[in-house]
Amino acid sequence: MRKHRFLKIAVIGDEGVGKTTFISGLLNPATQLLQTKTFNEINDSKKNENNLASRKIPKQLPPLTIPTDNFPDFTNAPETTTFIDTSDNTFSNETLKQVDALLLLYSNLKSYNRIYTHWMPQLRRMGVNIPIVVLKNEFPTLMPVTIDSMTSQQKGMNKDTEMELIMLTSEFKEISSTLSGPLILSNTTTLNSNNNNNNNTTSTNSSLSLFYTATYHCIRAVVYPLPPIYDYKTAQLKEPCYVAMMRIFTLADTNMDGVLDFKEMAALQEKCFGKGIDMTEFKRICLEVKMYALDDGNEEPNGNNEEINPLFSSERKTNANIANNGDVAVVENVGITRLGFLLLLKIYIERGRFETIWGLLRGYNYNDTLQISDDLLYPKFDVSVEDACFVELSSNGYRFLVDVFRRYDKDNDGGLNDSELRKLFKLCPNGEIPTSWINTNFPDSCTTDNDGNVNLSGWLAQWAMTTFLDYKTTTKFLVYLGYQGDPKTCLRVTKQRKVKKRHGKFYRAPVSDRKVFNCFLIGKPGSGKSSLLKSFANKDDLDISSSYHNYYSPTMKPSLVINSLELADGKQYYLILQEFGQSEFEVIENEKKWDQCDVLCLCYDSSDPESFSYILRIMEKYPHLQRLPIIVVGLKADLDTQDQRCFIQPDEYCESLSLDHPLRTSVLWPSSLLQLFTKVVNASLEPLKATPGFEVEIKPETFNDEFKEQISHILTAFGVITVLSYGAYKMFNRK
């Protein structure tokens, strides 16, 4: 939540209630001690108690700014707070636009009634949506007064004030808090603080304490505002707050049993407030929620619809311990349910403990508007990922996603079904899945089990692909899914892609730190690209019978899949295969798009004599494609191979570019598919070997350590032989 550096508070009320007196009191030199002294220390400063009574108060004062950056109990205290005097009817819409809170004063029955008949109706007409604090300026006492020495009449007056404030907060829910006391006095007197919780406290304080307390209440109302979280007109949590709290409950319920037990509640308390709770406190909370549910008759309006905001209405007198769907507020000897959690929030709101609500929200990174800030969702990297760099998941990211998968795989069948996926993504706004997943027909884009459920391998692969193509989507969803740290720790930025030059031609340098590679498939419609993608994702809806080739459904929109591969050295990589359907030429013409491509796979139907000519036309028209590593693939190799009707055959074409001969594959030949996918990954790791125009030869920059060691041994042996020969020559010459 953002820090309010500079607050502005308008002091409003009828003429003569003490607005100017209040601001004049802030002018007291002792108020400067607010920078360094605490509440109790100021109360001990007796020397300034009589200053206000002797001061001549002007009719209206200019805005007054005091330091408030050292207020206790505030981690987000503002640097300064400015009070604006609205005497002489200066309060208007323009003033309202400039302030963060309103301090409404009254002093007697007449001004009290005016709150009902004038001030609150006017504020509602003006559309006030900022905190309102009410202060009663009581008449000063002439003699020192303590609780024990108060007369029955004085006690009666104190109770009348208490009742007045209670009635105000009951009638006008937008009032954040209330307090009372004399602004001018000769000696100590009583100060009542309602704080919107119907539990008044009476203590012996100086007048200076009243100014301090009023300022404190105003700051508190701004830092922990009620309007964003609660609708006083309908007595409901506002929808954004409700959604946020349901997400918080779900994340706190680590064992996914629908109940916050002692361990989970203690962890929630520690996360949001920096301190845990003991078993005694936990049992007290459970009992309080249970009794509140029984007494007040709260229930969820529709237990079958988790998105409906339960009403906080005291007029609903049904059995509140049992909701419509049979849920209880408290499970005996276990903890509080989702319903009980909502009732607990209501208790805090009714008692004016808005800081508790905001503490929960801030603990889960919600800002003033009950949104998670973009700075957290979309963190910035120190390096430019657009400058030939790529972003991949780190080990932290993979571990977290594994934990998420296992948490929501409730039936422990090793796959996430539709219901489990919906529950998982309910943590995200509107229960959405990434848009890119929708565009790629998830879960067709990754591996699934025989029932179509997303398995762990497919789940991790899908996120690896998402991160590679749009890492900002990954960071956003990592936060929504409950990652507690900086989402950047779940990612890693690979080294910048380097380009080298040889024989006047450019080629990409070998890759050593990447684990995800991207392969584009180009070829004539009907050549078999879609079948290749399906086979790579191990989709069981692929008809492998001989009649499959007789059926063709054109690919209209781009499609991609991802899967993992383990090479002979035991290292695991992720490979993305993409085809573009009707937008293929659009992609080909966009040279910037090809920066994302590691290997270009030229696909033709070996059984169609017209198929390879399509590739030749493409390569002739778009020469920038020859700067990429290229693999030529003859698909449908299980059918009769046909000579291609073009000026050059595929084998000859590959030889002319110093490329390997076409790899003939078929979806019916799993070994050939594995050979193809492995070859694509190897070409991604060592692009030079598949780049057109470079003959296959041993290149100095690719010498391995073993070869270098062999060269070293040879040179050493040659040196030894040379020395021995020279020694023998000298010996024979002496003879």
Side-chain angles (χ1 to χ4, degrees), residues 334-621:
V334 181
I336 62 173
T337 66
R338 185 174 62 121
L339 173 61
F341 184 67
L342 292 170
L343 295 180
L344 182 61
L345 298 178
K346 179 187 177 181
I347 293 173
Y348 290 144
I349 289 175
E350 289 186 346
R351 294 178 178 177
R353 293 180 56 181
F354 310 143
E355 65 273 18
T356 302
I357 307 297
W358 281 108
L360 291 170
L361 293 169
R362 292 173 184 173
Y364 284 85
N365 302 305
Y366 287 94
N367 58 20
D368 289 4
T369 60
L370 297 186
Q371 303 293 322
I372 299 177
S373 67
D374 287 349
D375 291 341
L376 182 62
L377 296 176
Y378 311 111
K380 296 181 179 179
F381 287 92
D382 296 332
V383 298
S384 175
V385 297
E386 287 79 19
D387 190 19
C389 296
F390 297 91
V391 180
E392 299 180 1
L393 283 169
S394 67
S395 56
N396 282 344
Y398 283 114
R399 280 195 297 269
F400 174 74
L401 290 169
V402 169
D403 291 340
V404 172
F405 181 94
R406 291 173 176 171
R407 184 183 182 196
Y408 284 89
D409 182 20
K410 296 297 292 182
D411 52 11
N412 294 317
D413 63 348
L416 296 177
N417 56 40
D418 290 343
S419 175
E420 292 167 340
L421 284 170
R422 282 195 298 270
K423 289 182 180 179
L424 189 156
F425 283 108
K426 192 172 283 187
L427 295 170
C428 306
N430 303 316
E432 66 176 5
I433 67 172
T435 303
S436 60
W437 292 24
I438 299 174
N439 296 336
T440 56
N441 296 319
F442 172 81
D444 292 341
S445 54
C446 64
T447 57
T448 54
D449 61 20
N450 294 331
D451 296 323
N453 303 326
V454 179
N455 54 32
L456 179 58
S457 176
W459 171 255
L460 296 178
Q462 185 74 21
W463 283 109
M465 177 176 63
T466 303
T467 306
F468 181 87
L469 298 177
D470 182 15
Y471 72 92
K472 292 182 178 179
T473 296
T474 297
T475 57
K476 169 185 172 182
F477 279 85
L478 285 174
V479 173
Y480 283 131
L481 294 178
Y483 188 75
Q484 299 302 308
D486 186 347
K488 285 197 299 185
T489 61
C490 292
L491 307 180
R492 65 183 187 92
V493 181
T494 64
K495 296 177 182 178
Q496 185 178 16
R497 175 188 281 161
K498 295 182 179 180
V499 177
K500 295 186 176 182
K501 187 176 182 181
R502 190 174 183 194
H503 303 316
K505 296 181 180 180
F506 293 95
Y507 67 94
R508 293 175 178 176
V511 176
S512 60
D513 66 333
R514 288 179 54 194
K515 297 295 182 182
V516 183
F517 299 106
N518 196 12
C519 176
F520 288 3
L521 275 59
I522 298 294
K524 182 182 177 183
S527 59
K529 300 187 297 296
S530 297
S531 300
L532 185 63
L533 263 64
K534 286 185 177 182
S535 65
F536 186 52
N538 299 326
K539 296 303 177 183
D540 58 5
D541 62 342
L542 181 64
D543 187 356
I544 60 173
S545 65
S546 60
S547 62
Y548 172 77
H549 301 293
N550 298 324
Y551 175 77
Y552 169 63
S553 178
T555 300
M556 305 303 292
K557 63 179 183 178
S559 179
L560 54 81
V561 298
I562 185 170
N563 205 345
S564 59
L565 286 170
E566 185 174 320
L567 300 190
D569 58 1
K571 294 182 179 179
Q572 187 180 54
Y573 299 90
Y574 287 101
L575 177 61
I576 305 170
L577 299 183
Q578 296 194 59
E579 66 161 326
F580 304 100
Q582 291 187 337
S583 63
E584 185 170 278
F585 281 98
E586 211 177 293
V587 172
I588 292 175
E589 292 174 350
N590 184 4
E591 294 190 33
K592 190 65 178 177
K593 179 75 172 179
W594 290 90
D595 292 339
Q596 302 176 359
C597 177
D598 292 293
V599 176
L600 170 60
C601 196
L602 300 176
C603 303
Y604 71 98
D605 181 355
S606 59
S607 67
D608 179 7
E610 305 292 340
S611 187
F612 193 73
S613 60
Y614 177 90
I615 290 177
L616 292 178
R617 290 194 298 271
I618 292 289
M619 298 302 291
E620 182 180 2
K621 186 176 181 180

Side-chain angles (χ1 to χ4, degrees), residues 604 648 712:
Y604 71 98
I648 189 172
S712 178

Side-chain angles (χ1 to χ4, degrees), residues 23-52:
I23 297 182
S24 180
L26 295 172
L27 286 170
N28 190 301
T31 59
Q32 304 306 313
L33 298 175
L34 292 175
Q35 290 183 288
T36 58
K37 290 195 175 184
T38 65
F39 188 16
N40 292 330
E41 289 174 329
I42 293 173
N43 289 338
D44 294 334
S45 301
K46 304 292 186 178
K47 61 181 180 179
N48 294 300
E49 290 178 353
N50 299 321
N51 287 3
L52 293 177

Side-chain angles (χ1 to χ4, degrees), residues 462 622 624:
Q462 185 74 21
Y622 303 102
H624 64 269

Side-chain angles (χ1 to χ4, degrees), residues 164 173 285 373 550 666:
E164 288 175 1
K173 302 295 184 182
I285 291 174
S373 67
N550 298 324
S666 170

